[in-house]
Amino acid sequence: MFAHELVLKERGEILQALCSSGSAEHLERVLDILLSQEELIWEDYQDIQVPGRALYTKARQLLDLVSTKGVDTCAVFLAALKQVLPDAQRRDLSLSGCCANLIDKEQSQITCTQTLLTQRPSIVSKLQGCIDGTLEALAVSGHFTSEDYDEVRLPIHTPSQQARRLLDHVRSKGESAAEVVLNYIQQRQESGFPLTQEQLTPPKEFLKYQKKLSSSVSAQSCFLSNYGGTSHMSLDDIYTEGQLELAHDCADIQGPLGLEEIVGMVGTVNEDADTVLVSGEAGSGKSTLLQRLHLLWARGSALQDFLLLFPFSCRRLNSEQRELSVQDLLFQHCCWPDREQEEIFQFVLDHPHLVLFTFDGLDELKQSFSDEHRLCCPTQCAPVHILLFNLIQGSLMKGVRKVVTSRPEAVGPLLKKHLCKEILLKGFSPSGIDCFVKKHHTDPMVADKVLESLHTNNALLGLCHSPVLCWIVSQCHKELLGCGQGSPQTITDVYLMILQHFLQHQRPLQSTGALGWLQEHLQMVFHLGKLAFEGIGSSCYIFSDTDLETCGVTENDICVGFLIQSKDMPSAHSKHYEFLHVTMQCFFAALHIVLSNNTDRSTIPNLFETQDMKETSLSGTCFRACLSSNSQQEKAPTSKATAFETPNLQITATFVSGLLSGHHRSLWLHCCSTAMIEKKVRQVARCLSKGMQKHFKSIPQPVEGEKKSMHAMPGFVWLIKCIYEMQESRIAKDAMSKLEVDHLKLTYCNIGPVECTALAFVLQHLRNAVGLQLDNNSVGDVGVEQLLPCLHVCNSLYLRNNNISDEGIRKLIAKGIQCENFRKIALFNNKLTDACTLHFSSLLKAKQDFLSLKLGNNNITSEGAKQLAEGLKFSHSLQHLGLWGNKIRDEGAEALAGALEHSKSLLWLSLVGNGVGSAGACALANIIKHSTSVEELWLTENCITRTGVECLIQALKHNTHVKSVWLRNNDLSLQEVEEMTQLEPRLIF
């Protein structure tokens, strides 16, 4: 296809690629290249870059102009796109085959003004780090006035945009001004100054402020602020690394992501954006991670590229009623300069790349993210949420690095297009759990006993991947070690354990037995429950003395330890309180719903309908009908509800389900009427059944010839967790009796060990076997073990990219061998080594109906291939074997070929990217020559030479059933490829 036709055909996709980020950088870089290649003249550029014109309008005008200039200009334009766009966007466009080669223009015999045009891309890059110096040189030479300086240095522009504005102004000043710019660049290069970074000498008052800010940040960060209770835990003593992963694949990352890589360039998907999102579920450790970053910066141990770090709490920003400027936001909410406030703020504006902002808990804002209200001036006052949204999207303080934490549910596509990258925080790894427990207990014997108890209860071990639950379990070690066979199984069990722990530590001598501990403190539970319930219903998570008094919360209630004084609110006039953790507030709200006689009968139905309300922006009204009129007037938010409400309501609903389980109903015997509890149990059961049916009804009818498939949403997983918390097999069985699908897809649903436990509890009641797809989650070895109870209803199991090791496979295969339906497994991109192949070999020997084994992108070598071959010799059913992206080399390929040479079942074999050479190819040729079933052989990206291909050609002469042998990217010349293709068209190069 000609370049001109391609520009027309993919016009929509090109517009999207140029404009979807919301930044003009891609378009402006393309314009730079077209100017330098002399495909655009200066008048063309000016016609497009009209100030105030919308980005999409500029991009459309450029496409129209390029199309009218013909095929050659279109080819250069496509080449510019190919150079400018990130890999992900470039792959979506068909740019290969019709792009011109970009060339450097000769600099001899042209003017300085022309040089600024023909070398524009590289000059823009060079100027970004020395704009002030260039402006000063132009001012000294008399070419630039203070007005010109201000025009270039507008803070709404990125450094690259400032460089372009400088060049545009220079062109209007004439040849001598252009000469000054080129001379300045040359002098800096000759003097050895890097052009990417200016020499920096901060003002004296700035350095004093930096020291004061560091001291303030250190003081706020040195003790653990989350779930610390009445005791203070040193962050140094207790901090344990969580599992950090990029939300997208990145070849640059090998192994776990480090703290400093959060703000680094690794994994960047949008180079024009400044905001990094760290997302994770409630209790995954987001706030603690930021706190650790703050402390390391304040001590000079990390992030030293940033001279200033400003930490913000969105929970605190929620309570800010005033309109503020960026300057007010920085100095009033973080640290006030003793003097020279304007000078310090100007330094921040002039050097944004030296500044880091962190915003903890974006999901806690009462306003949902919006880019409707654009704000560009850092001294203009506006509501805090508008300031925050403009900071995130880059309209304000462009160039400042921002790190934002949030739960995944609050992050929609509108926000994601403004992100530099997204990082997932997935709680503790198994080794992280061990590390945290050992840090929590100074007595090694106690730590060992707690860990021993955890490792004998996989359900509880799975729960401890959440740092907040791991803390509860560690805190309640005496209750844990004394519970024998009654060890906690559900999240509700764990929170009831911490409730009992705190209450019995208040009045241990008055405890009246196994059930009396709750009755003794019932009034306190009612008071805190009412406070939590009304707070959840009105998105209130910080409470004043008045709030506490309204709900009857006394000083004695506070002393129990569930409420702590908020660090996010100034306490000059009155104290403010919050629950130890937001999940603790949800738990007390659930206690209120279960125990109170005064809640409206619609409370439970409304609570379990939050997944619908999220879509219609009504989630904030869920509890409004249940609150008193006074509470509604005091707490009702004035703007649209945030996505934060729905997750908290769902957590509350999960706790309600658990508290109403048969296992816990005896707790309520002396607290409320049995009839009332039974009525609420029936309500929850109906809600869960209704919710599941709604999901099942949404399943589309299958395309003819395909299996019926259900792609489950996170709301479905939540309902599953609620059913598990109730521990009611009857409800699970009833729900699954109505699910009639062949394939259940739960990819990218944040499935960890906890969710695996719940899935197994419910899915084991399926009437018919299904394919269970759990790709791109966090299952891990513990999660694999939790799935075993439902393995008998899985005819196929897909676990791509789930951090699974050989130990998880050992347990999975031991169970799978016993399951009649289990016939397919896919495990690519995990942590498997040669040790796992022994187990798969046993599987292949034992199950003569096993069909598909895919182990791509792991760490299997030739030794592993040899072990696998021992099982393949006995398999008479295997149809698909995928080992791409491993290291089996020739020796492994020869072993596999020997085992599969006479196979009558194998249809497809992939050894892509395995370092296989011609010796391996010649051995594999024997499969083609002798197997009566094989149809496809994939040998792309190996080291096969002409000799190996000739062996394959000879083998293909004996087999007409083979459809294709894929050989792209091997050690063959273009001439050899052409020759071999003519000899055998089934070879695909």
Side-chain angles (χ1 to χ4, degrees):
M1 186 183 295
F2 290 115
H4 185 267
E5 294 172 344
L6 187 59
V7 169
L8 293 174
K9 180 176 182 292
E10 299 210 5
R11 182 182 175 96
E13 290 78 4
I14 292 171
L15 279 171
Q16 182 72 5
L18 285 172
C19 305
S20 61
S21 69
S23 165
E25 183 67 17
H26 289 156
L27 175 66
E28 291 178 351
R29 287 177 63 191
V30 169
L31 288 171
D32 290 344
I33 293 171
L34 292 175
L35 282 170
S36 71
Q37 298 291 307
E38 299 180 351
E39 297 296 335
L40 293 185
I41 60 175
W42 185 250
E43 287 72 18
D44 294 332
Y45 174 79
Q46 288 181 309
D47 286 343
I48 293 169
Q49 288 287 67
V50 175
R53 179 175 286 172
L55 177 58
Y56 270 96
T57 304
K58 293 180 182 180
R60 290 190 184 96
Q61 186 171 350
L62 173 61
L63 285 171
D64 293 342
L65 183 61
V66 165
S67 298
T68 61
K69 286 180 177 283
V71 174
D72 292 342
T73 301
C74 287
V76 174
F77 170 71
L78 293 174
L81 277 180
K82 189 174 182 180
Q83 180 174 310
V84 164
L85 294 178
D87 289 344
Q89 289 180 298
R90 199 160 57 229
R91 284 194 293 268
D92 295 336
L93 297 172
S94 304
L95 299 180
S96 58
C98 54
C99 296
N101 292 320
L102 300 178
I103 58 173
D104 292 330
K105 298 292 182 179
E106 292 292 332
Q107 294 190 45
S108 59
Q109 298 181 348
I110 61 174
T111 66
C112 293
T113 305
Q114 289 174 311
T115 301
L116 291 186
L117 271 185
T118 58
Q119 304 298 318
R120 185 177 174 97
S122 64
I123 291 174
V124 167
S125 177
K126 292 172 181 177
L127 283 176
Q128 289 181 48
C130 58
I131 291 173
D132 282 344
T134 311
L135 287 169
E136 186 177 344
L138 288 163
V140 169
S141 64
H143 292 96
F144 265 35
T145 66
S146 59
E147 287 79 9
D148 294 323
Y149 183 99
D150 292 340
E151 277 287 312
V152 170
R153 272 314 228 161
L154 280 174
I156 61 172
H157 296 306
T158 66
S160 62
Q161 288 174 324
Q162 290 178 351
R164 292 186 184 99
R165 290 178 73 85
L166 188 152
L167 292 177
D168 295 350
H169 273 62
V170 165
R171 182 177 178 84
S172 68
K173 303 292 183 180
E175 179 70 11
S176 58
E179 186 177 359
V180 170
V181 173
L182 292 175
N183 286 339
Y184 179 77
I185 291 174
Q186 185 177 357
Q187 287 168 13
R188 283 186 64 88
Q189 287 176 316
E190 289 174 354
S191 63
F193 287 118
L195 285 167
T196 56
Q197 188 174 17
E198 292 183 62
Q199 285 203 303
L200 192 62
T201 53
K204 183 178 178 182
E205 287 303 322
F206 175 90
L207 295 175
K208 289 182 179 179
Y209 176 71
Q210 181 189 40
K211 186 175 181 180
K212 182 179 180 181
L213 178 63
S214 299
S215 177
S216 172
V217 170
S218 178
Q220 294 172 30
S221 307
C222 58
F223 290 104
L224 187 67
S225 58
N226 293 336
Y227 42 87
T230 55
S231 61
H232 290 285
M233 290 187 287
S234 165
L235 190 65
D236 287 328
D237 293 340
I238 198 67
Y239 181 76
T240 304
E241 296 282 355
Q243 299 177 91
L244 287 170
E245 297 177 11
L246 286 167
H248 56 278
D249 294 333
C250 178
D252 296 337
I253 292 292
Q254 301 293 331
L257 205 63
L259 282 181
E260 292 220 56
E261 288 170 309
I262 293 173
V263 295
M265 296 307 295
V266 172
T268 296
V269 293
N270 182 359
E271 294 180 0
D272 304 326
D274 305 313
T275 301
V276 177
L277 173 70
V278 178
S279 62
E281 299 296 338
S284 60
K286 301 182 294 295
S287 298
T288 308
L289 179 143
L290 275 192
Q291 195 176 330
R292 185 63 175 172
L293 276 178
H294 298 162
L295 186 59
L296 292 176
W297 173 81
R299 289 177 174 170
S301 303
L303 308 178
Q304 292 309 287
D305 290 339
F306 299 102
L307 298 186
L308 298 177
L309 184 151
F310 293 97
F312 298 96
S313 161
C314 293
R315 182 174 288 191
R316 178 179 178 181
L317 295 178
N318 254 339
S319 63
E320 181 61 78
Q321 302 299 319
R322 300 168 297 168
E323 290 197 353
L324 303 175
S325 67
V326 173
Q327 183 172 344
D328 298 332
L329 184 71
L330 298 187
F331 297 153
Q332 293 182 20
H333 276 261
C334 291
C335 179
W336 189 268
D338 294 325
R339 54 176 65 90
E340 301 296 344
Q341 180 179 335
E342 296 299 330
E343 181 183 13
I344 292 167
F345 186 61
Q346 189 59 50
F347 187 90
V348 171
L349 294 179
D350 292 342
H351 305 91
H353 59 289
L354 302 177
V355 181
L356 175 65
F357 294 169
T358 67
F359 295 95
D360 188 28
L362 181 67
D363 48 357
E364 298 194 30
L365 282 179
K366 291 183 179 179
Q367 297 82 10
S368 295
F369 179 83
S370 168
D371 59 3
E372 294 176 3
H373 303 285
R374 288 297 175 97
L375 189 66
C376 301
C377 179
T379 57
Q380 182 180 343
C381 291
V384 169
H385 69 278
I386 291 179
L387 286 183
L388 175 53
F389 297 158
N390 279 273
L391 285 168
I392 289 173
Q393 66 195 13
S395 298
L396 276 175
M397 306 298 288
K398 185 70 178 176
V400 171
R401 199 66 156 175
K402 300 109 184 174
V403 178
V404 178
T405 68
S406 174
R407 294 194 212 170
E409 298 89 347
V411 184
L414 187 65
L415 172 57
K416 287 198 174 185
K417 73 178 184 180
H418 298 294
L419 297 179
C420 164
K421 59 184 172 184
E422 181 180 1
I423 293 170
L424 308 178
L425 178 57
K426 298 192 171 184
F428 290 151
S429 64
S431 60
I433 295 173
D434 289 3
C435 179
F436 182 88
V437 171
K438 288 175 181 176
K439 285 184 175 183
H440 193 278
H441 297 286
T442 54
D443 185 341
M445 291 183 65
V446 174
D448 289 343
K449 286 181 180 178
V450 172
L451 289 172
E452 183 182 350
S453 181
L454 286 180
H455 287 289
T456 57
N457 180 349
N458 274 306
L460 185 58
L461 183 62
L463 292 172
C464 285
H465 281 72
S466 166
V468 68
L469 294 177
C470 195
W471 170 77
I472 292 175
V473 167
S474 299
Q475 191 80 0
C476 304
H477 66 279
K478 290 181 181 177
E479 290 85 351
L480 175 69
L481 298 175
C483 59
Q485 294 301 312
S487 184
Q489 299 287 315
T490 68
I491 296 174
T492 309
D493 292 345
V494 173
Y495 276 76
L496 279 169
M497 187 168 68
I498 191 75
L499 178 64
Q500 183 177 2
H501 172 85
F502 273 43
L503 296 183
Q504 290 190 326
H505 278 66
Q506 273 295 104
R507 292 192 293 176
L509 297 178
Q510 298 181 35
S511 181
T512 57
L515 302 178
W517 60 269
L518 180 62
Q519 192 176 4
E520 286 179 24
H521 301 87
L522 196 56
Q523 285 306 308
M524 184 278 294
V525 172
F526 274 127
H527 296 158
L528 293 182
K530 184 180 181 184
L531 183 72
F533 176 76
E534 295 196 356
I536 292 289
S538 56
S539 299
C540 179
Y541 304 97
I542 297 180
F543 305 97
S544 66
D545 290 333
T546 304
D547 295 326
L548 270 61
E549 186 178 338
T550 301
C551 295
V553 178
T554 67
E555 191 66 35
N556 287 335
D557 297 335
I558 296 173
C559 290
V560 174
F562 290 111
L563 284 177
I564 56 174
Q565 194 169 341
S566 176
K567 291 185 177 181
D568 289 332
M569 294 293 288
S571 56
H573 303 295
S574 63
K575 293 180 180 179
H576 288 77
Y577 294 90
E578 60 188 315
F579 282 87
L580 282 174
H581 193 266
V582 68
T583 55
M584 196 69 73
Q585 183 173 345
C586 295
F587 174 67
F588 272 97
L591 280 169
H592 178 82
I593 293 169
V594 169
L595 295 176
S596 177
N597 292 313
N598 300 323
T599 53
D600 191 277
R601 63 183 179 182
S602 64
T603 298
I604 287 177
N606 283 342
L607 185 62
F608 282 87
E609 289 173 5
T610 54
Q611 72 272 26
D612 302 325
M613 295 183 176
K614 178 180 177 183
E615 296 169 7
T616 57
S617 299
L618 296 175
S619 59
T621 66
C622 174
F623 286 157
R624 301 273 152 74
C626 315
L627 298 175
S628 66
S629 58
N630 289 339
S631 298
Q632 291 183 56
Q633 291 171 8
E634 291 173 9
K635 298 182 184 290
T638 57
S639 56
K640 188 171 71 174
T642 173
F644 180 55
E645 294 172 352
T646 294
N648 284 341
L649 294 174
Q650 290 184 341
I651 293 171
T652 304
T654 306
F655 281 129
V656 168
S657 303
L659 292 171
L660 290 173
S661 71
H663 180 60
H664 297 308
R665 281 176 216 165
S666 57
L667 273 174
W668 324 129
L669 286 175
H670 304 291
C671 303
C672 51
S673 72
T674 302
M676 185 186 75
I677 292 295
E678 292 298 332
K679 178 183 176 182
K680 291 179 179 178
V681 169
R682 290 192 297 272
Q683 273 190 306
V684 171
R686 280 197 301 270
C687 290
L688 293 175
S689 177
K690 182 181 175 182
M692 294 296 277
Q693 286 178 39
K694 181 177 179 180
H695 278 279
F696 300 157
K697 287 177 182 177
S698 68
I699 303 172
Q701 290 299 313
V703 178
E704 187 176 352
E706 294 185 4
K707 293 182 177 181
K708 189 174 183 180
S709 177
M710 173 183 173
H711 191 165
M713 295 292 106
F716 175 79
V717 178
W718 165 63
L719 289 171
I720 293 278
K721 289 171 73 174
C722 289
I723 293 173
Y724 172 71
E725 290 292 317
M726 283 201 85
Q727 292 287 290
E728 292 279 359
S729 296
R730 176 183 57 80
I731 297 176
K733 192 177 296 185
D734 178 64
M736 290 300 99
S737 67
K738 299 177 177 66
L739 178 60
E740 296 180 358
V741 293
D742 300 301
H743 192 84
L744 183 57
K745 190 174 181 181
L746 288 150
T747 58
Y748 293 103
C749 279
N750 295 314
I751 305 291
V754 175
E755 289 73 23
C756 289
T757 307
L759 280 170
F761 179 81
V762 176
L763 295 183
Q764 63 182 313
H765 297 291
L766 279 167
R767 293 190 300 176
N768 301 311
V770 298
L772 181 59
Q773 187 168 352
L774 294 170
D775 294 342
N776 297 295
N777 285 295
S778 307
V779 171
D781 291 344
V782 176
V784 165
E785 192 165 358
Q786 295 304 93
L787 287 171
L788 298 184
C790 72
L791 196 59
H792 66 281
V793 296
C794 298
N795 51 39
S796 55
L797 187 59
Y798 302 85
L799 289 165
R800 172 188 179 184
N801 194 25
N802 267 288
N803 207 27
I804 297 167
S805 75
D806 301 325
E807 178 59 19
I809 294 306
R810 180 183 68 79
K811 295 175 181 177
L812 177 64
I813 299 306
K815 176 70 174 179
I817 287 174
Q818 305 168 23
C819 297
E820 182 181 347
N821 292 313
F822 184 55
R823 294 192 179 99
K824 297 179 181 178
I825 192 165
L827 286 157
F828 33 103
N829 201 23
N830 279 288
K831 293 184 174 180
L832 307 184
T833 69
D834 292 337
C836 78
T837 56
L838 187 62
H839 308 301
F840 285 116
S841 185
S842 300
L843 175 73
L844 293 169
K845 290 177 183 177
K847 285 186 68 68
Q848 288 306 311
D849 58 353
F850 201 76
L851 301 176
S852 178
L853 176 60
K854 296 182 179 179
L855 304 173
N857 285 354
N858 281 288
N859 296 296
I860 298 170
T861 71
S862 58
E863 293 304 311
K866 290 176 186 176
Q867 287 187 131
L868 197 58
E870 292 303 311
L872 290 169
K873 291 175 183 177
F874 295 90
S875 175
H876 303 296
S877 60
L878 191 71
Q879 296 176 350
H880 296 85
L881 177 60
L883 289 166
W884 63 93
N886 284 287
K887 303 173 183 123
I888 71 160
R889 311 205 185 281
D890 281 339
E891 198 175 349
E894 289 168 350
L896 293 173
L900 295 168
E901 187 174 348
H902 297 287
S903 174
K904 297 180 181 179
S905 62
L906 186 72
L907 300 174
W908 177 91
L909 172 64
S910 174
L911 298 176
V912 170
N914 265 284
V916 176
S918 290
C922 290
L924 293 166
N926 288 326
I927 299 178
I928 295 173
K929 187 173 183 179
H930 299 294
S931 172
T932 57
S933 59
V934 68
E935 294 179 353
E936 283 190 273
L937 179 60
W938 285 74
L939 296 171
T940 303
E941 295 177 11
N942 281 295
C943 314
I944 301 168
T945 62
R946 182 187 186 100
T947 303
V949 178
E950 288 174 344
C951 286
L952 293 169
I953 291 174
Q954 289 300 316
L956 285 166
K957 291 179 180 178
H958 298 275
N959 192 329
T960 58
H961 298 292
V962 174
K963 296 177 181 177
S964 55
V965 178
W966 293 78
L967 288 163
R968 286 176 180 160
N969 296 330
N970 277 281
D971 289 348
L972 298 163
S973 67
L974 290 174
Q975 185 178 352
E976 286 174 324
V977 167
E978 187 176 345
E979 181 184 342
M980 300 295 176
T981 304
Q982 290 178 354
L983 288 173
E984 178 50 73
R986 287 177 290 175
L987 298 180
I988 311 296
F989 291 99

